[in-house]
Amino acid sequence: MFLVTGGTGNVGREVAAALAVAGEPVRALTRGGAPADGPDGVEYITGDLNKPETLAPALEGVRGLFLLPGYDGMAELLAEARRAGVEHVVLLSGSSAESGDMANAVSRYMIESEDAVRASGLAWTIVRPSGFMSNTFEWIPQLKAGDVVRAPFAGVPIAVIDPADIGAVVAAALLRDDQRGRVLRVTGPEPLRPADRLRILGGVLGRDLRLDAQPDDEARAEMLQNMPEKYVDAFFDFYVAGSLDESVVTTTVRDVTGRPPRTFEQWAAAHAASFA
Ligand SMILES: NC(=O)c1ccc[n+]([C@@H]2O[C@H](COP(=O)([O-])OP(=O)(O)OC[C@H]3O[C@@H](n4cnc5c(N)ncnc54)[C@H](OP(=O)(O)O)[C@@H]3O)[C@@H](O)[C@H]2O)c1
């Protein structure tokens, strides 16, 4: 049995689907219960990652665990997993963990989660993706209202990755022994600026879409309405001060799965209905 945390999220849903397609028994953890449109062959269980004491039923009979980063009590959760007989954990981290910069709040929670996994006594694999193609869903409200998207960090190229490719890499790491003890830096096939993504999305949707670069002060004020200041500071450190280079393209998706990473056009076509 495999336990997939965040089983209804962009990445967790893909991990669960990839394991189910491989014919493995999969349990997906969320706080909200089973979604209406989950992949076939996945059972759902309720639990809260911030409350490791609620996770014993979810961990029963589990040998491989896919874990999201940044929740309270990661060490207790991993100790609970070890007691339950889990052998291997695959942690979702992020590309910025490589910096080791504990002053950046995003890097910090990734690094602390990685440290907890390395200290857990379980076999481990750490997956460090670049920004997700699914972050493009943030544009849906603007695209429902018109053809202009006002977006922050317009000059920043990111080799965005399809969560389906993260799911394929994670599933391979859980199903085989050869990725244990490895840190996998996974990216999409090419760096894209927000305007590049919007042009490709427009082509898929048959719409003439235009990007309006949001000034940094306006972006900061808007982001502060949706997330704690320390995370806004972290993203400004990455993308305005330039501490993080996510334009780097790696061969890891191909190396681990045997096929190239999906393009943004493929992602957009697969999710076009969400933008209609
Ligand atoms: N977006 C990026 O570009 C990026 C890049 C690198 C790394 N990451 C990391 O990737 C993570 C996952 O991203 P995603 O897009 O897959 O996330 P997502 O779509 O927001 O999904 C989050 C999932 O976690 C579950 N969840 C949330 N809080 C929980 C809790 N306390 N206990 C149990 N389950 C909980 C949610 O289900 P319920 O709400 O039903 O509980 C949902 O299934 C991010 O949180 C981030 O740390 C993101």
Side-chain angles (χ1 to χ4, degrees), residues 4-13 29-33 45-51 54-55 66 68-72 92-96 106 109-110 127-135 137-138 158 160-161 163 166 235 239 246:
V4 175
T5 66
T8 52
N10 294 304
V11 176
R13 159 190 301 261
L29 181 94
T30 73
R31 291 162 304 174
I45 192 159
T46 304
D48 189 334
L49 285 167
N50 285 321
K51 298 176 185 155
T54 66
L55 301 176
F66 169 67
L68 297 186
Y71 290 90
D72 297 341
L92 182 65
S93 180
S95 56
S96 73
V106 170
Y109 85 76
M110 302 290 186
V127 178
R128 290 180 179 163
S130 51
F132 300 170
M133 291 181 182
S134 50
N135 294 344
F137 288 137
E138 289 165 7
I158 298 176
V160 283
I161 183 165
I166 305 175
F235 288 112
Y239 299 131
E246 290 199 296

Side-chain angles (χ1 to χ4, degrees), residues 137 140 144 201 204-205 267-276:
F137 288 137
I140 287 175
K144 288 203 190 291
L201 181 63
V204 168
L205 299 177
W267 179 88
H271 297 277
S274 300
F275 294 90

Side-chain angles (χ1 to χ4, degrees), residues 164-188:
D165 285 327
I166 305 175
V169 167
V170 169
L174 284 168
L175 293 170
R176 309 195 310 241
D177 289 345
D178 60 342
Q179 303 302 324
R180 294 185 180 198
R182 297 192 63 193
V183 177
L184 303 174
R185 176 80 175 83
V186 294
T187 75

